[in-house]
Amino acid sequence: MNLSSPQEIVERALELSRADGCMVLVREASTANLRWAGNSLTTNGVTRGREVTVIALTESAKGTSVGVTARSGLRGDDLADLVRAAETASRDAAPSEDARPLLGPESAGTGDTWDAPPATTSISVFSEFAPGLGRAFERRGAAGHLLYGYAEHSVTSTFLGSSTGLRLRHDQPSGTVDLNAKSAPPETGGGHSIWVGQATRDFTDIDVDGLDAELTRRMRWGARTVELPAGRYETLLPPAAVADMMISLYQSAGARDAAEGRTVFSAADGGTRVGERLSELPLSLRSDPAEPGLECAPFVLASTPGREITAFDNGLPLRRTDWISDGRLAALRQTRHSAELTGLPVTAHTDNLVLEQPDATGTLDDMIAGTERGLLLTCLWYIRPVDPQTLLLTGLTRDGVYLVEDGEVSGAVNNFRFNESPVSLLERVTETGATVPGLSRESGDYFPRTAMPPMRVPDFNMSTVSQAS
Amino acid sequence: MPDIDSDFLALPLRELADTALQRARDLGAEHADFRLERVRGQYLVLADGAVETAADSDTLGFAVRVVHNGVWGFAAGDDLGANTSAPNHDAVAAVAEQAVQVAKVAAAITTERIELAPEPAHPNATWVSAYETDPFSVPVGEKSALLTDWSRRLLDDSRVDHVDITLFQAKEQKFYADTTGTSTTQQRVRVAPVAEVVATREGKLDSMRTLAPPAGRGWEYLPTVESELAELPELLAEKLAAPGVEPGAYDLVIHPSNLWLAIHESIGHATELDRALGYEAAYAGTSFATVDNLGSLQYGSPIMNVTGDRTVEHGLASIGYDDEGVATTSFDLIRDGVLVGYQRDRRISRLRGYESSNGCAYADSPATMPIQRMANVSLSPAPGGPSTEDLISGVERGIYIEGDRSWSIDMQRYNFQFTGQRFYRIENGRLSGMLRDVAYQASTTDFWNSMTAVGGPQTYVLGGSFMCGKGQPGQVASVSHGCPTARFSGVRILNTVQEAGQ
């Protein structure tokens, strides 16, 4: 049997299936990456792989049970073994609570062209970027600085087929670049440290010289250092840091957990807080598969049953969803099952996130100019949940905290550990700027498609000083 | 002792390695290694007794890494051929060519020549971890039935609103060969079962979970978790009714089920030499324990002794040979409180002039390049040392902590904040009820220098992390940390509700 194409694998696996229902996902992924440290490339690589997932369903009087098996490195007649393994697992399994009838073509979304070969990337995606990086190495070296960082590009083509006739395919390009400069070698403490990052779909929009110029500006900001104690400070959060906080909020916005009283979005008297005002500003937090520059899968693609994303919803169309609308909580992440539990519409997880205040137009520089005294963060790091009831997060500032005085950056400040809740931040935010693409430092490697505004918070809780520099 | 599975051994391991290594040699590589790997994973999740997720993954593929004209090149693929008798030599050779091509492209902006610390050849070496029952040999239905029974027992208690059970299982099979003549074939398994109960009472939400750590063991480990189930509802109820902690400085007695996490974050990652030299600077961060401090940094109190060890039985990072063909070993990191060593791979060892690697290279899948990863990093107990009760009896006003929960540390490993599962007030040498909303915060060397006593071997537990992230592209590794119960003086305690401004 020749299984040269993912489409053939989908069709053959469905033919082999003897289960009461079956879904097959084939993911073809190729990646290319460059990593550097101390003004020199350190590691680099390319990979290519295919993963086949078979989801078999067995109906019984007790309900629908499901078996999931996934394999990469599949060889020849392994496919029959894979299908049988999924079927055996489904017969062994207890019924799934979130089981729902599989979607058919009439109720599913639409995807990219089914018959086209998988999209791919290669090391050549860096053909313009790599020379730019080389120039940045030279400039940093001449300035006595050291450049560290990473660039990655991946393209994943996912093919979804089902026994109910679905044939959907999505090609997802993703890319990120991190540039981190230090004024002294890390082995001696590292000196002043700064970072810029950007997400991209194809690296054609990455201007290394421009990113490096921003590093130069921030390095100048660090010429003077200021020691400040822990405390609550008026703080300007750039889009990257806002993305860090909003991704954490989005990940905690599961409808079922909220309905069960387990999250910050649980109502005190049961149910969810959908409809409650979260911010005095007319903010919207949304996901939209068609968001320009942040395009993502326009239908549900999931390999397993689950609490917040489930394979039973595979193919479900995704459209613009406002999670927060005009400052009010408008929706939570739902499966069809949780939507029935909560009585709210199906609003499924979507792989991008945009925070926006419709009438806000200012830039981060405008907000700096309008600040009498405050802190300017550049990015956040090691963010972890502390208390689900308040969504209290702890984490640290990193690679550049600056003091703003009389409308200008006046020096670099020590790092801090913060204890803050993104929900509380939305309650207290007093100003936002125009929304622009912003790469989360903490989560950008797996959630790169975000656009956020800069944000002013009057009393950000810097819990302790961190000695890290 | 189990054997390496016959179906893995039946793969054309040596043939494909020879093809890849020869192609790399033909293209001028001064070093090449080939890794063919199979990683199986199984993930079971039960929510309130219902199976939420039951998923199997099985990843089979290979990678070729070369040093070509002093530059790394790496490529990975998964086309092994139609069947065992017809291996796809062309695909393997093509991946070797890609690896060399990547090195050539990278050469234009590479200024540091890659050299590797020497390692003797280990031809035809094999190693299998210590376990009794391969978790993948147990039918999924049997597993689901057991975990469903656990759930029902917990849900039957009126003090419990929700029960979450998770069970991760993994099996790694690796064949490695390189141009020095080393070839190793290894197999290991690990499991991570956790049961957690959740309840809300009078507007308070909290959870309580089992303390049994993930382990390099097989299915025989499951009763360890089961033995804890009966106490969870009472512990949860007590925690929900407990008063919030008053912030301030306290003496702490920390059980191994929590202390492993402090070791992992503030010692394990801080003594990775690649971090200290800046090779993780842009992502996971560097380390305050810089190379100029080796032999002089008073990392902790003089009773503090810490080792790195990839040989300990049931350790999550234990293996016979690392992913660069280096025979694993045990080594000192901190002796009598002083920094004396680092964890290293071959490349990083060579950079600092070490004569050999101490075996800390690891790749988490056939598609990833080996990077320097953590050994099992453990705090030694005091021979003849005190029991946990003895340690508590020496505290006038303090807190006893069990179990891990939230964790965070800065990018140079100074400032950390941890929470836990169970916090008990200590008054005049005795436990006097639970506290809640507790977090402790410290700077690494302040914390370890405040350690006033370590428990004896009877308090020692091998804890650990099933999923530790590092590197770009990101990789996940499992690692164990053994430690005794230990006592600390004057550690800053926060009330997390107050921190949230509530």
Side-chain angles (χ1 to χ4, degrees), chain A residues 294-305:
Chain A
L294 306 178
E295 293 87 350
C296 62
F299 52 88
V300 171
L301 274 175
S303 298
T304 62

Side-chain angles (χ1 to χ4, degrees), chain A residues 51-53 68-72 82 303-304, chain B residues 38-43 54-60 136 169-171:
Chain A
E51 182 185 67
V52 181
T53 303
V68 181
T69 60
R71 282 191 198 167
S72 61
L82 181 65
S303 298
T304 62
Chain B
R38 183 183 187 194
V39 183
R40 291 193 65 185
Q42 191 177 71
Y43 181 44
D56 269 274
S57 63
D58 190 339
T59 302
L60 178 65
F136 292 90
Q169 302 144 95
K171 180 194 229 177

